[in-house]
Amino acid sequence: MTTQPKKVLVSIVTIGDELLIGQTIDTNSAWMAQQLNAMGIWVHRRIAIGDVREAIIDALEKEGAVSDIILITGGLGPTADDITKPVLCEYFGGTLVRDEVTYNMVMEFFESRNLPRLQRNVDQSLVPDVATVLHNIRGTAPGMWFEKDGKIYVSMPGVPHEMKGIMQDHVMPRLQTFFDTPAVVHQTLLTSGMGESFIAERLTDFEANLPSGIKLAYLPSYGLLKLRLTAFGQDGQSTAAALSVYFQQLKDLLPDISVYDEDVSLAEVLGRLLTAKHKTMGTAESCTGGYIAHSITQIPGSSAWYKGSVVSYANEIKTNLLGVKQTTLQANGAVSEAVVREMAMGALQQLKTDYIIAVSGIMGPDGGTPEKPVGTVWIAAGSAEKLVTVKFQLRFGRMNNIQMTATYAMNELRKLIV
Amino acid sequence: MTTQPKKVLVSIVTIGDELLIGQTIDTNSAWMAQQLNAMGIWVHRRIAIGDVREAIIDALEKEGAVSDIILITGGLGPTADDITKPVLCEYFGGTLVRDEVTYNMVMEFFESRNLPRLQRNVDQSLVPDVATVLHNIRGTAPGMWFEKDGKIYVSMPGVPHEMKGIMQDHVMPRLQTFFDTPAVVHQTLLTSGMGESFIAERLTDFEANLPSGIKLAYLPSYGLLKLRLTAFGQDGQSTAAALSVYFQQLKDLLPDISVYDEDVSLAEVLGRLLTAKHKTMGTAESCTGGYIAHSITQIPGSSAWYKGSVVSYANEIKTNLLGVKQTTLQANGAVSEAVVREMAMGALQQLKTDYIIAVSGIMGPDGGTPEKPVGTVWIAAGSAEKLVTVKFQLRFGRMNNIQMTATYAMNELRKLIV
């Protein structure tokens, strides 16, 4: 791509046996990649290795050969399986010495909690003398910054909030002063209701005419498809301006399936719509079992527009708390249009909200019948004045069926509000 | 380690720009690692690279040099950013030919859905003639199995349920016949209430006396600490027997903090306890906003012991649906012992369950006061006969505070039931 300056490349190296046996899902790398991208630093590779000396040294050598920055997380805890620090000390040719600031922080950490301090805790304040110490105010293991042959290596603890703190407090500001990074701008269009290949067909000419510095990616996300345009350039403002022209073309080509022109969750989209209209909503959840409520309430400030949910997992909760009639349940079964309609109406009364979502379905793996196989879902969304009901037939595993039901239900309400 | 046979090593290679910019969290690798471990196959490294020809070829060469099996996911979709298949075809020296079975499956997929079929969909049935095709009954992109210089390379789509299906239907059975794998046995003890370094101190002698074929790992998981013992051996039965001796020693050393001797979620532990006693439970959630209900209802069959939740995010839901008194709210505030007690009692009546959990707190980032800073949480757990209340002061980000509140609340109920 001729229009972009030399990219600054980073490798993310994650250390820990727990990642190799699948006991931990790596969420750190995604967060780091997002932050670095916003700074115009490009993740070249991500690798995960075990708590093994040879594997760590091999990774330092290989990644140092291809990337400008090597960010290392994990393996710095106080227990015996954490060997990263001695290996780093060996690799960069240093000696472990006590860092006084960290030593005082560790002492204070244990004193303030009235906990005895152990030698292994005190040892957390030992750092290679060839490293710049990046102090960790959220835990006892400090970050360490090394430089070798013009490359930068940073080691951080793997605990997510400690890693994030050290990145924000130390690593990102230091990297910014070290590199003259290109501008990278992303813009994402959320769509719903059309498959990847059909969208691609509609965008054939659009994609063919994109300049070399702008790239389109298709990112399926259960129930939604995200279309992300990325532009590289000399400075943020002109790059963003160039991108916005193509983003507008993209939107104009997909008016029927566009959901939102920002990469936020559907719950966040609903929140913005409701806030603008000074309205509130609630939920009545059977098969999603609280997942819609959770998707909404993990957003800070959602209490301004979301009041609550009746999770009516058992049928008696549907009748007792939501006023669904016994006769309706008996005549139609819990997974039916009539029941989600009564759930919605009952919840509107109980929760006293302007809008409501009600869902009932069979998420699997068991519980299906020939007439209502696993994946059958009824959704009601709307208000006392206008309530829409819709049926979906899903075909995934239990957790994905729950996620897709939440997405579809929130999208139905969104369509009705806009 | 002298007691174990030669390990079969696997590298997991994930292809896709979305992983490098952090828009997608990689859950596939963890699942694959778990499955492979259970078969005695060891994940040597996991790497994530972009949709770039050179990066893919470099990864195939480097991983092929160190591992016996290279499992590749992603980059097989019908859109233009997916380049994996042509690169594989080039690397393994093949020609793209139509696979008739896949062709018929693709045709049938579009016909049965009444969708027009596009050339790019039909092209999904093109495969390198040097590959064994692994048919994908859940989507249109088939898996491909290559062999080169005694190493096995498998390419699969990145959509989780398609990848899992191809692994289970084809890859794992084929690997089993190819390799004489060692037995690997894990056993995990869940603990709560003591920090990693204090447990390590208590286990100093135990760790020092472990034989070389048995390994202990500390896996912190918000609110819990998992202690995992792993043993390698010639056959599963004798390896498991050897492991169980040390696992019993481990349990005997930590009676005060042991939660459960299996690697399952706390919700699953509660479910097993309640099922054995033929009892039911419900929840009344303010600050966790449905997360406890969701943690429980993602377990298949949880409807046998879990009835539902009142997510009382707004105070008026606490009064209207749970019978919390206005005077109690005014005198104590929503985050108080008196309010969680009334929420619990109200929910027991409304939901008609044997046991209840009620929580109210300030999860952040805003909403704290000098007397009740962000992270203040009150929990009530128990039954109409015996209700325990406890206060926690958390110090993480919003999502982690929600998760820890759920863990602590479920653990309080567990302690009361056992």
Side-chain angles (χ1 to χ4, degrees):
Chain A
M1 289 184 237
T2 51
T3 58
Q4 59 186 106
K6 185 192 170 302
K7 279 185 192 170
V8 176
L9 296 181
V10 62
S11 289
I12 298 176
V13 177
T14 312
I15 299 176
D17 287 344
E18 63 275 21
L19 288 159
L20 297 186
I21 71 152
Q23 203 144 1
T24 303
I25 288 172
D26 173 23
T27 55
N28 281 349
S29 297
W31 184 89
M32 291 166 86
Q34 284 169 10
Q35 304 298 314
L36 294 164
N37 253 248
M39 292 171 58
I41 293 175
W42 198 251
V43 179
H44 178 60
R45 312 210 306 170
R46 285 168 37 182
I47 95 161
I49 54 176
D51 293 301
V52 177
R53 179 183 167 282
E54 292 69 30
I56 296 173
I57 288 176
D58 181 61
L60 293 173
E61 276 170 4
K62 284 195 180 133
E63 302 311 314
V66 291
S67 289
D68 306 291
I69 305 160
I70 296 89
L71 297 181
I72 306 152
T73 61
L76 296 179
T79 49
D81 58 340
D82 293 318
I83 62 159
T84 302
K85 196 159 62 180
V87 172
L88 289 174
C89 193
E90 172 197 341
Y91 187 76
F92 293 105
T95 310
L96 288 178
V97 294
R98 179 195 282 182
D99 177 64
E100 289 303 324
V101 177
T102 302
Y103 177 79
N104 292 334
M105 285 164 78
V106 170
M107 291 294 130
E108 143 72 14
F109 181 93
F110 285 89
E111 266 159 39
S112 69
R113 284 164 180 76
N114 258 325
L115 291 169
R117 41 171 198 277
L118 310 169
Q119 189 55 44
R120 65 177 79 230
N121 299 125
V122 177
D123 286 350
Q124 299 240 278
S125 63
L126 295 178
V127 294
D129 53 2
V130 291
T132 303
V133 180
L134 310 177
H135 295 117
N136 176 5
I137 57 172
R138 295 161 191 83
T140 54
M144 292 168 281
W145 172 290
F146 301 89
E147 294 177 29
K148 186 181 180 181
D149 302 335
K151 305 296 173 97
I152 288 164
Y153 300 75
V154 185
S155 164
M156 291 170 279
V159 182
H161 78 282
E162 296 184 25
M163 178 279 291
K164 290 177 190 175
I166 292 174
M167 281 287 287
Q168 284 164 332
D169 296 347
H170 305 291
V171 181
M172 296 191 305
R174 290 177 72 105
L175 290 178
Q176 210 116 39
T177 65
F178 255 77
F179 295 100
D180 178 26
T181 54
V184 180
V185 184
H186 299 295
Q187 210 167 351
T188 301
L189 182 68
L190 306 186
T191 71
S192 178
M194 188 181 282
E196 183 175 349
S197 49
F198 294 93
I199 297 181
E201 199 67 14
R202 216 196 270 184
L203 299 180
T204 307
D205 291 345
F206 173 78
E207 284 199 69
N209 292 326
L210 281 176
S212 67
I214 297 186
K215 207 175 159 185
L216 174 67
Y218 293 75
L219 308 170
S221 168
Y222 289 96
L224 294 175
L225 186 78
K226 301 177 183 180
L227 301 177
R228 191 195 63 231
L229 279 180
T230 304
F232 311 89
Q234 298 289 351
D235 75 289
Q237 221 167 356
S238 66
T239 307
L243 182 67
S244 71
V245 174
Y246 291 95
F247 191 74
Q248 189 58 49
Q249 285 183 15
L250 181 67
K251 276 173 66 177
D252 291 345
L253 286 165
L254 305 168
D256 47 333
I257 57 166
S258 292
V259 169
Y260 205 66
D261 52 4
E262 209 177 308
D263 188 14
V264 295
S265 69
L266 254 184
E268 181 78 49
V269 174
L270 272 181
R272 293 184 188 182
L273 282 172
L274 292 167
T275 304
K277 290 176 189 281
H278 304 288
K279 300 287 186 186
T280 62
M281 68 168 287
T283 47
E285 305 183 53
S286 181
C287 61
T288 47
Y291 183 75
I292 301 176
H294 166 61
S295 305
I296 289 170
T297 57
Q298 64 177 279
I299 301 170
S302 49
S303 57
W305 49 274
Y306 182 75
K307 285 198 182 178
S309 186
V310 174
V311 180
S312 57
Y313 216 54
N315 279 347
E316 59 185 281
I317 312 281
K318 294 184 184 72
T319 52
N320 295 349
L321 267 79
L322 294 174
V324 174
K325 294 188 209 81
Q326 276 293 355
T327 50
T328 311
L329 276 168
Q330 275 155 10
N332 306 277
V335 179
S336 61
E337 181 173 21
V339 165
V340 286
R341 192 176 279 280
E342 291 189 13
M343 284 172 68
M345 286 308 180
L348 275 172
Q349 280 194 347
Q350 289 287 323
L351 303 173
K352 299 188 182 17
T353 58
D354 301 304
Y355 293 102
I356 197 76
I357 286 172
V359 294
S360 184
I362 303 149
M363 301 286 93
D366 305 315
T369 64
E371 308 83 57
K372 294 179 184 173
V374 166
T376 308
V377 180
W378 273 99
I379 291 170
S383 63
E385 290 73 42
K386 184 176 182 191
L387 192 71
V388 172
T389 55
V390 54
K391 183 190 180 185
F392 287 97
Q393 189 62 52
L394 307 174
R395 55 194 182 87
F396 300 98
R398 182 178 180 85
M399 188 57 212
N400 291 338
N401 284 340
I402 291 173
Q403 289 170 321
M404 289 194 80
T405 301
T407 297
Y408 288 149
M410 288 191 280
N411 197 35
E412 288 302 322
L413 182 58
R414 180 196 65 83
K415 287 194 276 185
L416 191 133
I417 297 177
V418 289
Chain B
M1 290 184 235
T2 52
T3 58
Q4 59 185 108
K6 184 191 171 302
K7 279 184 193 170
V8 176
L9 297 181
V10 63
S11 288
I12 298 176
V13 178
T14 312
I15 299 176
D17 286 345
E18 63 275 21
L19 288 159
L20 297 186
I21 70 152
Q23 204 143 3
T24 303
I25 287 172
D26 173 24
T27 56
N28 281 349
S29 297
W31 184 89
M32 291 167 86
Q34 284 170 11
Q35 304 298 314
L36 293 165
N37 253 248
M39 293 171 59
I41 293 176
W42 198 252
V43 179
H44 177 59
R45 311 209 306 170
R46 285 168 37 182
I47 94 162
I49 53 177
D51 293 301
V52 177
R53 180 184 166 282
E54 293 69 30
I56 296 172
I57 289 177
D58 181 62
L60 293 172
E61 275 171 3
K62 284 193 179 137
E63 302 311 314
V66 291
S67 288
D68 306 290
I69 306 161
I70 296 88
L71 298 182
I72 306 152
T73 62
L76 296 180
T79 48
D81 58 340
D82 293 318
I83 62 159
T84 302
K85 195 158 64 179
V87 173
L88 289 174
C89 193
E90 172 197 340
Y91 187 75
F92 293 105
T95 310
L96 287 178
V97 295
R98 180 195 280 183
D99 177 63
E100 288 304 324
V101 177
T102 302
Y103 178 78
N104 291 334
M105 286 164 77
V106 170
M107 291 294 128
E108 143 71 13
F109 181 93
F110 285 89
E111 265 160 38
S112 69
R113 284 166 179 75
N114 258 324
L115 292 169
R117 40 172 198 276
L118 310 169
Q119 189 55 43
R120 64 177 81 229
N121 299 124
V122 176
D123 287 349
Q124 298 241 278
S125 64
L126 294 178
V127 294
D129 54 1
V130 292
T132 302
V133 179
L134 310 176
H135 294 118
N136 176 5
I137 57 172
R138 295 162 191 84
T140 53
M144 293 168 280
W145 173 289
F146 302 89
E147 294 177 28
K148 186 181 180 182
D149 302 334
K151 305 296 174 92
I152 288 165
Y153 300 76
V154 184
S155 163
M156 290 170 280
V159 182
H161 78 283
E162 296 183 25
M163 178 280 291
K164 290 177 188 176
I166 292 175
M167 281 288 287
Q168 284 165 332
D169 296 348
H170 306 291
V171 180
M172 296 193 301
R174 290 178 72 104
L175 290 177
Q176 210 117 40
T177 65
F178 256 78
F179 294 100
D180 178 27
T181 54
V184 180
V185 184
H186 299 294
Q187 211 168 350
T188 301
L189 182 68
L190 305 185
T191 71
S192 178
M194 189 182 280
E196 184 175 350
S197 49
F198 294 92
I199 297 180
E201 199 69 13
R202 216 196 268 183
L203 299 180
T204 307
D205 291 346
F206 172 78
E207 284 199 70
N209 293 325
L210 281 177
S212 67
I214 297 186
K215 206 174 160 186
L216 173 68
Y218 294 73
L219 308 170
S221 170
Y222 289 95
L224 293 175
L225 186 78
K226 301 177 182 180
L227 300 177
R228 190 195 64 231
L229 280 179
T230 304
F232 311 89
Q234 297 290 350
D235 75 288
Q237 220 167 358
S238 66
T239 308
L243 182 67
S244 71
V245 174
Y246 291 95
F247 191 74
Q248 188 58 49
Q249 286 182 15
L250 181 67
K251 276 173 66 176
D252 291 345
L253 287 164
L254 305 168
D256 47 330
I257 57 167
S258 292
V259 169
Y260 206 67
D261 52 5
E262 209 176 307
D263 188 14
V264 295
S265 68
L266 254 183
E268 180 79 48
V269 174
L270 273 181
R272 294 184 187 182
L273 281 171
L274 292 167
T275 303
K277 289 177 190 280
H278 305 288
K279 300 287 187 187
T280 61
M281 69 168 285
T283 48
E285 305 184 53
S286 182
C287 61
T288 48
Y291 183 75
I292 301 176
H294 165 61
S295 305
I296 289 170
T297 57
Q298 65 177 280
I299 301 170
S302 49
S303 57
W305 49 273
Y306 182 74
K307 286 198 182 177
S309 186
V310 174
V311 179
S312 57
Y313 215 55
N315 279 347
E316 58 185 282
I317 312 279
K318 295 184 183 72
T319 52
N320 294 351
L321 268 79
L322 294 173
V324 174
K325 292 188 209 82
Q326 276 292 356
T327 50
T328 311
L329 275 168
Q330 275 155 11
N332 306 278
V335 179
S336 61
E337 181 173 20
V339 165
V340 286
R341 192 175 280 279
E342 291 188 14
M343 284 172 68
M345 287 308 180
L348 276 172
Q349 279 194 349
Q350 289 287 323
L351 304 173
K352 299 189 183 15
T353 58
D354 300 304
Y355 293 103
I356 198 77
I357 286 172
V359 294
S360 183
I362 303 148
M363 301 287 93
D366 305 314
T369 63
E371 308 82 57
K372 293 179 185 174
V374 166
T376 308
V377 180
W378 273 100
I379 291 170
S383 62
E385 290 74 42
K386 187 178 180 189
L387 192 71
V388 172
T389 56
V390 54
K391 183 190 179 184
F392 287 97
Q393 189 63 52
L394 307 175
R395 57 196 179 88
F396 301 98
R398 182 179 180 84
M399 188 58 212
N400 292 337
N401 284 340
I402 292 173
Q403 289 169 321
M404 289 196 79
T405 301
T407 298
Y408 288 149
M410 289 191 279
N411 197 36
E412 289 302 321
L413 182 58
R414 180 196 66 83
K415 287 194 275 184
L416 191 132
I417 297 177
V418 290

